[in-house]
Every structure is written in C-alpha cells, then in structure tokens.
C-alpha cells in the first residue's frame, strides 16, 4: 500500500525536551565570551551523548539514514556499525569545537581539552 | 541577584546590562558546517526553520550562512538568523526556542542587533 509522500520528520525536538539554559547570554558578554559559552554548552551536550551513543539511533528504522557498505578490520570485526558512526561523528565535532575554543582563548580551550581527557588533535 | 550560569562562569557581572529585544533572533550552534555543505540538508534545515519560526510571528526572512566553497572562514556558520516583522514575534520566538533541540543540539537564542543584520554582518 503506497503512502502519499511521507512527511519528513522535522529536526525540531518536542517542547517537552526543551532544556533550561541561563539567559545571561544576552547581557553584557563580549562576542568571544558568548562564543565560548555556546561552545561549552555544545561540548557538555556531546560529552553527555558520548556516554551512550547507541541511544541516539532512531528506534524507527524509517528515520535512520541509509547505511554505508560494511567495513571490516583485519580481525573480521565490523568497524563502521551505526553506533560507531554516531560516536565518530560526535568525536569529530568535539575536536572541531575544542579547536575553535582554543583559537578564541588558548587558556579556556586548553582547560576544556584537559576536561575531556587531554585528547590531542592533529591535522 | 544570583550570578549563575554562563556569565558567572566566564567572570562577567551581567547585573546592570539590560537586554534590548530586536526584531532579529539569532539561534546559535544549531547546525554543523558539514550539514550546510549538502544542498539537500540545507533545504531541509531551511524548511524546518521556516515552519517552526513562522509559528511565533510574521516571518520576514531566515538567513543561514553557509561555508564558502573556497574553504575561507565565513562568520556565522552554525547560526540561523530569524527576522520578524515586529519585536513581539522575535520575543515569542526567543522564549519558545531557547533551549529547544534542533537535530539533537540545544539551541541558544539571543537578540541580534538589527543594524549588523541589515549589513549582513553575521560576526557580531
């Protein structure tokens, strides 16, 4: 039975998932402080997500993106499962955010770097 | 007044500064540069923004800066600028969208200076 053009799911989360973020963002911050603040909110969120990346996989298969061809390592284990891809995407974004934070404020960026386990990123 | 959260943490006393609402709401850290390079994702993000932001007032324009093809740094990447016909639309939108999730990210909303927006200056 053909469904008439399935409505794409919006990226907006429901109102019930709305989180409380302090409003001070509007008041008296310099551009750099504001940027660091936003970076920090996002980094905290990523750390939280990394605790259980599997929970980010949509339950409904129709909402999942198409999978790439499986890739296996020398031991024959798959290395690009959906969970691994979610995890890698988060780690990549985290590295980018840390790099940006370090560019704006080396002290603040290095502090964040230490907080996530002294991870090094090289390009 | 309690000095908690962002401003407290970065050592700024926010007490005396007064927030001035404008007609433009800036949503920060909602999308990644990766997503913006794909035309399909960009179109979907734009559609989602128009649909949701249209609920709060008369929407004049939605601007989503995209990464340049040359790889040069573009200000405002990851942010979405939503312009309303009046301040009350922007106020409602900011209240409703601050802290909402978009693609799993928590949206940080603030008023954006109208003069900077008018000059297409997204680095303010």
């Amino acid at each position: 039975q053909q469904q008439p053009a399935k409505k794409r799911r919006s990226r907006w989360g429901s109102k019930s998932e709305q989180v409380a973020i302090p409003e001070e963002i509007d008041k008296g911050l310099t551009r750099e402080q504001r940027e660091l603040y936003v970076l920090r909110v996002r980094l905290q969120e990523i750390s939280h997500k990394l605790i259980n990346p599997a929970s980010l996989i949509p339950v409904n298969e129709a909402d999942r993106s198409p999978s790439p061809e499986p890739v296996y390592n020398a031991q024959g284990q798959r290395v690009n499962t959906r969970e691994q891809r979610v995890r890698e995407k988060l780690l990549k974004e985290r590295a980018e955010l840390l790099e940006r934070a370090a560019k704006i404020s080396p002290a603040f960026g290095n502090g964040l770097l230490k907080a996530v386990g002294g991870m090094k990123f090289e390009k | 007044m309690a000095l908690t959260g962002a401003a407290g943490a970065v050592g700024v006393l926010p007490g005396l500064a007064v927030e001035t609402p404008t007609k433009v709401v800036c949503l920060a850290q909602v999308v990644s540069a990766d997503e913006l390079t794909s035309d399909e994702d960009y179109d979907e993000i734009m559609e989602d923004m128009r649909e949701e932001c249209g609920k709060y007032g008369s929407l004049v324009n939605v601007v989503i800066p995209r990464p340049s093809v040359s790889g040069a740094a573009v200000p405002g990447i990851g942010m979405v600028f939503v312009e309303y016909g009046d301040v009350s639309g922007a106020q409602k939108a900011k209240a409703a969208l601050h802290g909402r999730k978009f693609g799993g990210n928590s949206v940080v909303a603030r008023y954006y200076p109208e003069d900077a927006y008018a000059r297409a200056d997204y680095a303010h």
Side-chain angles (χ1 to χ4, degrees):
Chain A
Q1 61 274 28
Q2 199 109 59
Q3 294 283 331
K6 182 184 149 238
K7 170 116 175 52
R8 187 177 57 77
R9 213 172 56 138
S10 168
R11 290 169 197 231
W12 283 105
S14 69
K15 286 216 168 77
S16 60
E17 294 178 281
Q18 188 160 8
V19 293
I21 301 178
E23 295 281 340
E24 279 90 345
I25 185 84
D26 275 317
K27 297 165 194 162
L29 295 194
T30 67
R31 186 182 140 207
E32 276 161 11
Q33 288 166 333
R34 208 157 45 209
E35 245 173 87
L36 289 172
Y37 164 71
V38 170
L39 285 170
R40 206 186 53 167
V41 169
R42 181 71 188 133
L43 282 164
Q44 277 172 350
E45 209 160 51
I46 289 178
S47 299
H48 187 71
K49 285 179 175 180
L50 280 168
I51 296 169
N52 184 7
S55 67
L56 302 173
I57 299 169
V59 179
N60 187 349
E61 277 193 48
D63 292 331
R64 298 183 191 170
S65 58
S67 293
E69 286 294 307
V71 175
Y72 300 93
N73 67 10
Q75 283 76 45
Q77 290 161 322
R78 188 164 172 197
V79 292
N80 67 338
T81 62
R82 196 169 286 276
E83 188 179 335
Q84 281 163 326
R85 284 182 284 127
V86 169
R87 205 180 126 76
E88 264 158 40
K89 207 178 139 193
L90 290 170
L91 288 173
K92 182 173 169 244
E93 192 185 345
R94 185 168 77 174
E96 287 166 0
L97 297 178
L98 285 168
E99 213 167 348
R100 257 169 59 197
K103 229 177 255 172
I104 299 168
S105 158
F108 189 83
N110 287 332
L112 286 173
L113 205 63
K114 231 178 245 167
V116 299
M119 196 182 69
K120 273 193 227 146
F121 38 89
E122 42 229 332
K123 275 230 163 121
Chain B
M1 118 173 248
L3 281 183
T4 51
V10 291
V12 172
L13 301 179
L16 295 175
V18 178
E19 165 188 76
T20 326
T22 67
K23 292 178 194 169
V24 183
V25 178
C26 168
L27 308 175
Q29 206 63 34
V30 282
V31 284
S32 65
D34 272 1
E35 286 176 291
L36 294 169
T37 50
S38 145
D39 285 342
E40 198 192 334
D41 283 337
Y42 174 83
D43 290 346
E44 286 183 8
I45 292 164
M46 184 57 99
E47 193 185 314
D48 288 347
M49 284 293 163
R50 287 188 169 278
E51 194 183 313
E52 182 66 25
C53 298
K55 294 177 185 168
Y56 306 106
S58 65
L59 205 55
V60 175
N61 200 12
V62 176
V63 177
I64 309 177
R66 297 182 76 177
S68 72
V69 200
S70 66
V74 174
I77 291 293
M79 298 181 186
V80 175
F81 298 86
V82 188
E83 181 191 3
Y84 287 91
D86 51 44
V87 171
S88 84
Q91 280 173 316
K92 275 184 222 146
K94 182 175 170 289
L97 301 179
H98 187 67
R100 275 281 293 283
K101 299 277 182 184
F102 187 81
N105 305 348
S106 300
V107 170
V108 178
R110 66 180 162 108
Y111 297 114
Y112 199 75
E114 284 167 23
D115 53 343
Y117 174 81
R119 307 190 284 273
D121 168 8
Y122 304 123
H124 191 85

